Amino acid sequence: MKKIVSLATAALLFAAPVMAQDKAPAEILNVSYDIGRELFAQVNPVFAAEWKARTGQGIEIKQSHAGTSRQARSIMEGLQADVVTFNQFTDVQVLADKNFVAKDWQKKFPNNASPYYSLPAFLVRKGNPKNVKDWSDLVRADVKSVFPNPKTSGNARYTYLAAYAFALEQNKGDQAKAKDFVKKMLANVPVFDTGGRGSTTTFVEREIGDVLITFEAETNGIRREYGDKGFDLVTPSLSVLAEFPVAVVDRVATKRGSQQVAQAYLTFLYSEAGQDILAKNFNRVHHPKVQDRYKAQFPSLKLVTVEDVFGGWEKATKDHFAEGGILDQVFVNR
Amino acid sequence: MTAVAIHAGPARRVKARRVLPGFGLAMGGTLLYLAIIVLLPLAALLLKSAEIGPEGFLRLLASPRVLASLQLTVSAAALATLFNAGYGLLMAWILVRYEFPGKRILDALIDLPFALPTAVAGIALTALYAQNGWYGQILEGEAGIKVAYTIIGVAIAMAFTSVPFVVRTVQPVLEDIQPDVEEAAATLGAYRGAIFRKVVFPAIFPAYLTGCALAFARSLGEFGAVIFIAGNLPFKTEIAALLIFIRLEEYDYPAAAALAVVLLAGAFCILLVTNAIQAWHMRYRMKG
Amino acid sequence: MAADAAFHSAPAAASPSRLPLILILLGVTLTALFIVAPVVVIFTQALSKGWATYVAGILQPDTLHAVLLTVVVAIAVVPVNLVFGVGAAWLIAKFEFPGKKLLLTVIEIPFSISPIVAGVTYILLYGGQGLFGDFLVEHDIQIMFALPAIFLVTLFVTSPFVARELIPLMQAQGSEQEEAATTLGAAGWQIFWRVTLPNIRWALLYGTILCAARAIGEFGAVSVVSGNVRGETNTLPLQIELLYHDYNAVGAFAAASTLTLLALLTLAVKAWLERRIAH
């Protein structure tokens, strides 16, 4: 019996390389956030072409997308990721704490290792029938908003923090009033999906809710994807800067000998070509030339950071997202 | 199944002389396989949840969200089982007692929920019952009943995946009932309803109960079919299985393990109950 | 309500009532609405943008890879559980020993466990923080989020299927034939091939088909341990979820339609086998 099990396992392991047709000589795995699918599907072939031109070596970049907390867990459990491209600091930091990425990962690449940034923005139905303009409209009894579960989604954590920051600003820093504000806002959410893409499906396909709150990049992507259904973008007066940190997963990359190409892949995101693809997909970038090129599609607004308002991610997690934190309190009392 | 004791001795349960070969091999192989594939992982689960101690275990389970998810799971599973209790009995009855065209197809269709992967069932049911789906339009538009993203949706998904249990447990027993008993009662002038109540129902009752218990157990653990239609609202439509998944995503292994143990214990209790029902039923049959 | 009246007003031996007709119509209607409609929806959704889109959806490289992976897993899992099922049924049906009831319960466990719980147990065993986690990392053996994990959880989930079909049948058949063969001096394997197997072959096939269907369709347990790398560790049910969240409902339903056809085929074969078993 044991023999059969081990034989079958061996057969599976042998079958694996055979199964992938015309496998490139090398491949790396980019483990990423839930709604980065379309973006990296565009980035990967351009990088692969550039890498081949430079080194003569073919490369294939595999993608894996889900909520980033889940992704980080999978990597700690043994998912062989060469690089991570996440949407929040915490989940990369978890990997650093467990020695999967360098302790000083934020210094390895420019701009705190974030090649691009975005912010929570609104998507409303054609013609904005509910006349939603800002965060304050989301606590109205007649407005239903849709965003994922802040417990599992980095995307939703930004949304929650942006609403909180807005309420603090409105109420001159009164924490109790801010708490009350997010409580009202959460009570107006009919469905919580586990990841950003689930919420998009709920809002677009199932036609639930009046406002979808997700990254600006996603709101634009949806409008492009569903041109026939018709949606309008709304940029609130204030939002939280959402960094998209990247890192090489050293522990895996050293073992697989993919250090060099992993490094090159992430560096490519900072190049003009890379930044152009990012901006084309409605992510905000730092490259001056590219910034100029796409100026028109990025309305200006007041952007605050997690550092400024909440004293950094570690503190924000402890205060708001941990078991029994403010998020749990405002959820529970519904 | 009667073991003949060749030489007198107290060991009645152990066959004194095994006639057939292969006992050692079958025993060794079966135990080894079960140990590696089933028992070892379960031991890992119990060890992990033992790490937090009984106090921590209870504290984790007493969190409002966990309680809410357990309550929702049990309520929805109960609703689903209630539906299957009615529908299953009806289907078993007409499939055994009546002849009609298309009966064989109808009989085969009962097993469809087992054959259909749960994820497929999940997206299909969601497409059907969502606001813009075929049923959703009627239910929500005309009658104002929301199904998708409510407990009703969860119950529907659970009911769908556990349809075969009641039908398939009741069917064979119903086939075994001698029609002459009923005919005798009928010639004595008994009414149909009375015959069913006094003759048929007591005979099928243990099997019926077993089928309902199995359907309930399956509903408690169902995941694939439910997550698409549930909407996953904490405190409203979050099932226990999904909460385990979420706890894993939050790196909260002890909480995930504790919840998993609760679901495991529930499944185990139901398994014991069904075994007890079957034992009782055997005795009942002996007496009968 | 007319049915109710018929139910109470006439002795059963009296003239035939309309009750059977009403019950049959009710049963057929409910089945059509509750069980058949979801299947119809799958095909209408898959074909909602025409044949070309449907075929393109099925022929996507990642979907094809998922089909391949799913088939490979099923081919690896089914024979192992077939051997286990026959061995366990032989043990339970042909011998008396203490602890038999307990063994039966253990065999049944995976059948009543939530697939999510199954996935969690394997993570707690082979995952990075699991019992064997350190050992596996040291020796550079990857089980989690790779093929071995998918293989193992599928094995776990489908382990009782063959045994469940064989045990009641073999218990009912008793051991007289085999014992007779033994007294005639036949060896163990000969007895099994010549005497036992012909008696159980249809039930064996039936159990195998159920096992294969479940192995192909398992979603919950696999989704916990797969790591969902596109075109690498996604089985077909996971690929369906992925496409569904990728703005690609047609692709998802197209992939789902292949599994649905397989399910319908399973039902047809099952119905045919049941008749064979009955004869």
Side-chain angles (χ1 to χ4, degrees):
Chain A
M1 185 62 66
K2 204 170 179 180
K3 206 181 259 175
I4 292 172
V5 173
S6 58
L7 269 178
T9 315
L12 269 177
L13 291 171
F14 281 123
V18 181
M19 274 164 52
Q21 305 119 351
D22 51 49
K23 214 186 195 77
E27 64 164 55
I28 55 170
L29 173 60
N30 171 13
V31 170
S32 186
Y33 55 99
D34 197 22
I35 54 183
R37 315 160 186 227
E38 292 79 11
L39 171 66
F40 286 104
Q42 287 174 45
V43 169
N44 296 343
V46 180
F47 168 74
E50 195 172 282
W51 179 254
K52 186 150 178 100
R54 189 151 34 117
T55 63
Q57 185 194 16
I59 181 87
E60 191 186 355
I61 297 108
K62 290 268 181 212
Q63 293 170 253
S64 168
H65 296 279
T68 47
S69 304
R70 176 180 173 183
Q71 296 289 51
R73 177 181 62 83
S74 301
I75 291 168
M76 294 192 298
E77 292 293 358
L79 181 63
Q80 300 289 295
D82 301 277
V83 296
V84 290
T85 50
F86 281 174
N87 59 12
Q88 59 162 9
F89 167 88
T90 343
D91 291 319
V92 187
Q93 193 52 46
V94 165
L95 291 174
D97 295 342
K98 301 261 177 199
N99 297 320
F100 281 84
V101 308
K103 290 280 183 225
D104 59 342
W105 64 272
Q106 280 191 286
K107 305 216 168 32
K108 297 267 180 194
F109 294 95
N111 306 321
N112 288 338
S114 297
Y116 56 106
Y117 64 99
S118 193
L119 47 106
F122 302 168
L123 187 74
V124 295
R125 311 228 172 253
K126 190 90 199 143
N128 198 354
K130 294 274 165 102
N131 194 19
V132 175
K133 289 272 183 274
D134 209 344
W135 294 101
S136 47
D137 292 309
L138 303 184
V139 296
R140 278 165 37 196
D142 62 327
V143 174
K144 293 267 169 275
S145 38
V146 173
F147 51 89
N149 184 344
K151 280 276 184 182
T152 52
S153 155
N155 175 341
R157 264 169 253 176
Y158 281 116
T159 295
Y160 166 92
L161 292 175
Y164 202 91
F166 171 85
L168 282 178
E169 172 122 336
Q170 293 280 301
N171 298 303
K172 313 216 172 10
D174 184 332
Q175 296 281 350
K177 283 204 170 113
K179 202 166 144 179
D180 195 51
F181 181 86
V182 287
K183 183 175 171 177
K184 282 206 187 94
M185 185 176 96
L186 285 165
N188 266 350
V189 178
V191 180
F192 285 103
D193 292 283
T194 47
R197 190 46 58 84
S199 288
T200 298
T201 307
T202 296
F203 182 76
V204 173
E205 297 275 345
R206 306 274 161 251
E207 292 169 11
I208 286 179
D210 307 304
V211 195
L212 172 72
I213 310 164
T214 183
F215 293 128
E216 184 181 48
E218 171 89 343
T219 59
N220 280 285
I222 296 165
R223 201 173 52 160
R224 192 169 46 185
E225 193 73 35
Y226 289 96
D228 53 338
K229 286 204 177 184
F231 294 101
D232 288 344
L233 305 178
V234 173
T235 307
S237 65
L238 171 148
S239 201
V240 170
L241 177 88
E243 293 192 313
F244 286 70
V246 300
V248 174
V249 185
D250 294 321
R251 189 192 284 198
V252 177
T254 3
K255 198 174 73 187
R256 306 212 317 184
S258 59
Q259 278 286 34
Q260 215 184 345
V261 61
Q263 188 76 20
Y265 179 67
L266 296 183
T267 309
F268 171 77
L269 296 174
Y270 288 89
S271 70
E272 191 177 338
Q275 296 266 296
D276 192 272
I277 300 172
L278 290 164
K280 208 186 302 167
N281 285 281
F282 306 99
N283 294 288
R284 300 191 178 211
V285 294
H286 304 285
H287 197 287
K289 267 195 197 156
V290 181
Q291 265 182 346
D292 260 8
R293 210 173 299 155
Y294 291 95
K295 224 174 17 210
Q297 66 185 31
F298 296 118
S300 56
L301 71 161
K302 182 173 179 182
L303 272 184
V304 298
T305 64
V306 177
E307 292 292 329
D308 296 344
V309 182
F310 300 96
W313 269 112
E314 208 167 320
K315 188 169 182 313
T317 304
K318 205 170 80 224
D319 294 347
H320 291 269
F321 304 123
E323 188 84 25
I326 294 177
L327 176 66
D328 268 358
Q329 296 162 33
V330 294
F331 250 153
V332 170
N333 300 336
R334 284 157 45 145
Chain B
M1 293 304 298
T2 46
V4 186
I6 306 286
H7 56 83
R12 266 201 343 195
R13 286 170 55 206
V14 185
K15 232 181 184 174
R17 188 167 60 85
R18 294 205 170 85
V19 182
L20 292 175
F23 176 75
L25 181 69
M27 187 59 130
T30 303
L31 287 181
L32 183 70
Y33 180 87
L34 286 174
I36 294 175
I37 296 296
V38 179
L39 297 174
L40 192 64
L42 289 179
L45 173 65
L46 293 174
L47 278 172
K48 191 80 197 176
S49 50
E51 273 175 25
I52 51 178
E55 241 171 88
F57 190 82
L58 285 175
R59 201 189 55 244
L60 283 171
L61 294 181
S63 95
R65 194 164 163 202
V66 171
L67 287 177
S69 81
L70 286 171
Q71 192 187 352
L72 170 91
T73 310
V74 172
S75 321
L79 278 176
T81 309
L82 211 62
F83 170 84
N84 273 329
Y87 173 76
L89 189 60
L90 170 74
M91 292 315 288
W93 180 260
I94 63 177
L95 288 174
V96 171
R97 288 307 167 96
Y98 305 134
E99 284 303 326
F100 53 93
K103 175 172 148 176
R104 289 245 312 280
I105 294 175
L106 194 65
D107 193 37
L109 280 174
I110 294 294
D111 284 324
L112 184 70
F114 270 4
L116 199 67
T118 53
V120 176
I123 61 172
L125 290 171
T126 311
L128 206 52
Y129 289 94
Q131 203 172 335
N132 50 7
W134 294 348
Y135 292 177
Q137 279 172 347
I138 300 168
L139 288 168
E140 221 163 304
E142 310 292 319
I145 306 168
K146 275 188 81 70
V147 175
Y149 315 119
T150 67
I151 184 171
I152 306 173
V154 178
I156 282 176
M158 287 175 172
F160 180 85
T161 50
S162 54
V163 155
F165 284 109
V166 178
V167 187
R168 295 300 182 229
T169 46
V170 172
Q171 243 177 327
V173 187
L174 209 51
E175 271 164 0
D176 282 351
I177 297 176
Q178 301 300 332
D180 51 9
V181 181
E182 285 169 73
E183 276 159 28
T187 48
L188 295 171
Y191 291 98
R192 248 196 218 89
I195 295 173
F196 184 80
R197 263 204 319 277
K198 299 218 170 93
V199 180
V200 180
F201 196 68
I204 62 168
F205 187 67
Y208 186 47
L209 217 54
T210 304
C212 289
L214 288 172
F216 185 70
R218 170 73 196 253
S219 298
L220 284 185
E222 184 52 48
F223 176 77
V226 176
I227 51 163
F228 292 96
I229 202 170
N232 316 327
L233 283 151
F235 300 97
K236 288 206 182 114
T237 58
E238 190 173 64
I239 54 168
L242 180 75
L243 192 53
I244 294 177
F245 209 85
I246 289 172
R247 289 288 182 251
L248 283 177
E249 290 185 2
E250 295 168 356
Y251 317 121
D252 196 345
Y253 283 59
L259 246 175
V261 166
V262 171
L263 278 192
L264 191 67
F268 221 83
C269 287
I270 294 167
L271 208 61
L272 289 176
V273 167
T274 51
N275 279 346
I277 295 172
Q278 269 155 352
W280 167 59
H281 181 51
M282 290 300 265
R283 282 202 300 276
Y284 180 91
R285 288 272 291 269
M286 298 286 190
K287 273 195 291 195
Chain C
M1 290 306 104
D4 253 8
F7 215 79
H8 294 296
S9 60
S15 61
S17 75
R18 281 172 316 173
L19 183 69
L21 187 64
I22 291 167
L23 289 181
I24 289 169
L25 281 178
L26 185 65
V28 171
T29 313
L30 276 176
T31 307
L33 288 177
F34 193 61
I35 294 179
V36 181
V39 175
V40 178
V41 159
I42 290 163
F43 290 107
T44 52
Q45 293 273 359
L47 295 169
S48 62
K49 292 195 176 147
W51 274 101
T53 321
Y54 174 72
V55 174
I58 289 183
L59 294 181
Q60 268 185 323
D62 280 1
T63 302
L64 282 182
H65 186 280
V67 171
L68 193 63
L69 175 65
T70 309
V71 169
V72 166
V73 170
I75 287 174
V77 162
V78 172
V80 178
N81 278 336
L82 185 69
V83 172
F84 164 72
V86 171
W90 180 266
L91 179 70
I92 301 266
K94 306 291 179 195
F95 302 105
E96 285 301 316
F97 52 91
K100 192 158 146 176
K101 262 215 151 64
L102 182 68
L103 187 68
L104 259 174
T105 311
V106 175
I107 291 173
E108 286 271 322
I109 286 175
F111 191 74
S112 49
I113 276 188
S114 170
I116 290 291
V117 176
V120 171
T121 59
Y122 272 83
I123 281 201
L124 297 179
L125 189 62
Y126 299 113
Q129 307 169 30
L131 285 189
F132 301 157
D134 296 339
F135 173 84
L136 293 172
V137 170
E138 269 165 44
H139 294 74
D140 208 17
I141 305 170
Q142 209 198 343
I143 292 187
M144 273 300 128
F145 305 107
L147 273 169
I150 298 176
F151 169 71
L152 284 171
V153 291
T154 311
L155 210 53
F156 177 97
V157 171
T158 60
S159 62
F161 280 72
V162 177
R164 275 175 70 97
E165 292 307 320
L166 292 184
I167 290 169
L169 182 73
M170 279 163 82
Q171 280 182 329
Q173 283 174 348
S175 314
E176 286 81 6
Q177 291 185 11
E178 283 91 348
E179 279 165 20
T182 319
T183 49
L184 294 174
W189 290 113
Q190 275 179 309
I191 297 173
F192 179 76
W193 285 114
R194 304 259 173 84
V195 182
T196 312
L197 199 59
N199 283 337
I200 61 167
R201 62 174 188 250
W202 297 118
L204 191 64
L205 187 55
Y206 185 33
T208 307
I209 285 171
L210 290 183
C211 179
R214 183 67 196 265
I216 287 167
E218 181 51 40
F219 170 76
V222 176
S223 102
V224 174
V225 301
S226 117
N228 59 31
V229 183
R230 290 156 181 251
E232 191 112 332
T233 60
N234 265 340
T235 59
L236 201 45
L238 294 186
Q239 180 69 12
I240 289 169
E241 183 194 29
L242 191 137
L243 291 167
Y244 189 76
H245 289 321
D246 261 5
Y247 298 138
N248 191 348
V250 171
F253 280 103
S257 72
T258 58
L259 284 176
T260 312
L261 286 172
L262 202 65
L264 293 172
L265 184 72
T266 308
L267 291 186
V269 175
K270 198 167 166 296
W272 176 77
L273 275 178
E274 272 171 344
R275 289 225 311 286
R276 299 296 303 239
I277 292 170
H279 289 174

